[in-house]
Every structure is written in structure tokens, then in C-alpha cells.
């Protein structure tokens, strides 16, 4: 992707969700507010967020802590499976585990998710045109954060699997002209007190 200025992409998984299709818990609201305060000194040009309530509410609470940063809802920032691997793509020792995890994904979801994932790469990655660097925040879901981190690392398409991101944790990727993408920050949670960290992770990896 070509461009003349650097893009700084800030990726955030939504705050802790109250239920699968609703907004945030009280803890999730606190996470979002604290993250917004963390980002006050970042010259964000825009906040993009998925259409589901937990992402929309997280983006709004973050935006409330900032000054005049526009919010943009986008299906591209939504919750979907970005790539459905076949068995031959996967390491033999983990293929059964990952294929069971994806067993309920329909053909329609596979095709739609793949199309959105390609759009996400076009929309959110690479250097930008113009003379000024651009800082953008995407409030989304675990799968898309993993997909974009995987792409920045030039990992194979299946490798979004197994990348877990905490609720309201911060990941930052830099896309500078003429240089490979650089993951500057990953799953960073210093803006959260200990009791609000590690939500969204499997219980066995809580630290």
C-alpha cells in the first residue's frame, strides 16, 4: 500500500460485555472511560467502531473523554470471522482444536467475513496520503484485532486464531512509508487498575 505519511492505528477490543448482544457491564464502562482518558493526548482524527452495542457503547464512552473526535460506525469494524482455514493450513497438533472452534461458522458467514476482512485491510492499514501523520482508533472485537496484528506481522492468514486480546486493552500499529508495519504496543493495560485487567482472556491465562 502506498502513501506519503505515517498512519498510527490504535486497536481496542470493546469493554467487558454484559451479554453477547447487549452493552457493557459496569466494569466495561469503567474500562472504556479509563481508556478514553489514556488517549486524551493522542491527536486522533477519527474513532471507527463496529455496529454491535458493546462496541458502540465503548466508542461513545471513549469519545466522551476526548475533544471533538468524530465517531464512525462501520460493519468493517464489526464482529466476524476474517478467515476460515482448511486443515492443511493449520499445524497438525492444533488443527482439530481450531476446526472445532470454528465448526458453527456457516458458508454465508465465511464468505461475508472474508470480504469484510479484505475491506478492513484496505480501510485501516498502510501509510496515508498527505503531509501529516494520521492517528485513528478502531473499537472492535477480538477477531479483527487479531486479524490486523497478524497482517502487520506478515503471519499466514490462519494465524489470527489463538491471538487473544483483553477488553479495553490497547494495541498500536505504525504504518510508515517505505517500511514494514510495526506493532508498537500490544495488549497494553496500564490505564486499567488490576481488578479491570485480563477480562476477555481465558481464565487459565489470567496473570
Amino acid at each position: 500500500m502506498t502513501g506519503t505519511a505515517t498512519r498510527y492505528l490504535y486497536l481496542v477490543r470493546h469493554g467487558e460485555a454484559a451479554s453477547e448482544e447487549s452493552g457493557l457491564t459496569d466494569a466495561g464502562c469503567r474500562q472504556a472511560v479509563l481508556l478514553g482518558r489514556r488517549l486524551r493526548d493522542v491527536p486522533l482524527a477519527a474513532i471507527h467502531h463496529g455496529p454491535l452495542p458493546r462496541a458502540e457503547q465503548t466508542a461513545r464512552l471513549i469519545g466522551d473523554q476526548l475533544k471533538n473526535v468524530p465517531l464512525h460506525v462501520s460493519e468493517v469494524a464489526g464482529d466476524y470471522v476474517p478467515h476460515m482455514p482448511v486443515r492443511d493450513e493449520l499445524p497438525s497438533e492444533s488443527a482439530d482444536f481450531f476446526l472445532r472452534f470454528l465448526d458453527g461458522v456457516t458458508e454465508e458467514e465465511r464468505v461475508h467475513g472474508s470480504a469484510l476482512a479484505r475491506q478492513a485491510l484496505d480501510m485501516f492499514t498502510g501509510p496515508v496520503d498527505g503531509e501529516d501523520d494520521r492517528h485513528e482508533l478502531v473499537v472492535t472485537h477480538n477477531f479483527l484485532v487479531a486479524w490486523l496484528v497478524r497482517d502487520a506481522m506478515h503471519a499466514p492468514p490462519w494465524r489470527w486464531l489463538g491471538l487473544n486480546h483483553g477488553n479495553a486493552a490497547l494495541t498500536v500499529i505504525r504504518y510508515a512509508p517505505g517500511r514494514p508495519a510495526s506493532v508498537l504496543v500490544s495488549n497494553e493495560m496500564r490505564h486499567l487498575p488490576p481488578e479491570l485487567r485480563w477480562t476477555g482472556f481465558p481464565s487459565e491465562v489470567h496473570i
Side-chain angles (χ1 to χ4, degrees), residues 80-92:
Y80 51 87
V81 173
H83 173 74
M84 274 289 292
V86 297
R87 179 175 292 275
D88 288 348
E89 291 179 70
L90 298 168
S92 58

Side-chain angles (χ1 to χ4, degrees), residues 41-120:
D41 294 330
V42 176
L44 290 172
I47 299 173
H48 307 274
H49 65 85
L52 294 179
R54 56 193 184 275
E56 186 278 332
Q57 188 177 2
T58 302
R60 179 170 50 79
L61 289 169
I62 292 171
D64 286 346
Q65 309 305 310
L66 309 176
K67 292 183 178 180
N68 302 316
V69 180
L71 273 66
H72 304 288
V73 61
S74 172
E75 187 180 13
V76 176
D79 192 16
Y80 51 87
V81 173
H83 173 74
M84 274 289 292
V86 297
R87 179 175 292 275
D88 288 348
E89 291 179 70
L90 298 168
S92 58
E93 67 274 12
S94 55
D96 287 341
F97 172 81
F98 286 132
L99 292 173
R100 283 196 302 270
F101 175 72
L102 296 169
D103 186 56
V105 179
T106 67
E107 177 65 14
E108 181 180 4
E109 289 170 334
R110 184 193 68 79
V111 172
H112 189 56
S114 178
L116 290 173
R118 289 192 298 272
Q119 293 178 50

